[in-house]
């Protein structure tokens, strides 16, 4: 993928489509990313995503998360993340 197309994904907004508790202190979050003229690709092993929850000064640094699942449907990439609360 050319570098200019990669930059579109670096700061892409995602929409939370599912939040489900799967264990006492663990939840599964599923996000939807829409392609904007960029070919969709599944995450590679070892790849992680930095989450910015849109907060104020209390969230200066983004949190890294590695996806536990991915699916592509109708031009959207769905990424799942398992988080400990």
């Amino acid at each position: 993928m050319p570098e200019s197309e990669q930059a579109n994904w670096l700061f892409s907004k995602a929409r939370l489509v599912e939040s489900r508790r799967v264990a006492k202190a663990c939840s599964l979050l599923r996000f939807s990313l829409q392609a904007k003229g960029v070919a969709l690709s599944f995450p590679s092993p070892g790849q992680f995503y930095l989450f910015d929850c849109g907060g104020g000064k209390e969230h200066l640094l983004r949190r890294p998360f590695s996806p536990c699942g991915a699916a592509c449907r109708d031009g959207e990439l769905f990424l799942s993340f398992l988080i400990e609360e």
Side-chain angles (χ1 to χ4, degrees), residues 18-48:
E18 181 182 9
S19 176
R20 177 172 38 118
R21 185 172 303 276
V22 294
K24 185 175 181 178
C26 293
S27 292
L28 183 73
L29 301 178
R30 197 166 130 218
F31 293 91
S32 166
L33 291 147
Q34 289 189 344
K36 299 174 186 170
V38 179
L40 295 174
S41 62
F42 287 97
S44 302
Q47 185 175 359
F48 61 92

Side-chain angles (χ1 to χ4, degrees), residues 60-83:
L60 291 176
L61 300 176
R62 294 184 170 111
R63 303 277 313 268
F65 291 94
S66 187
C68 66
C72 185
R73 188 174 61 238
D74 298 329
E76 287 186 270
L77 178 63
F78 294 92
L79 297 175
S80 299
F81 298 88
L82 188 63
I83 62 164

Side-chain angles (χ1 to χ4, degrees), residues 9-20:
W9 285 104
L10 289 176
F11 297 102
S12 182
K13 289 188 178 183
R15 181 174 51 96
L16 181 65
V17 294
E18 181 182 9
S19 176
R20 177 172 38 118

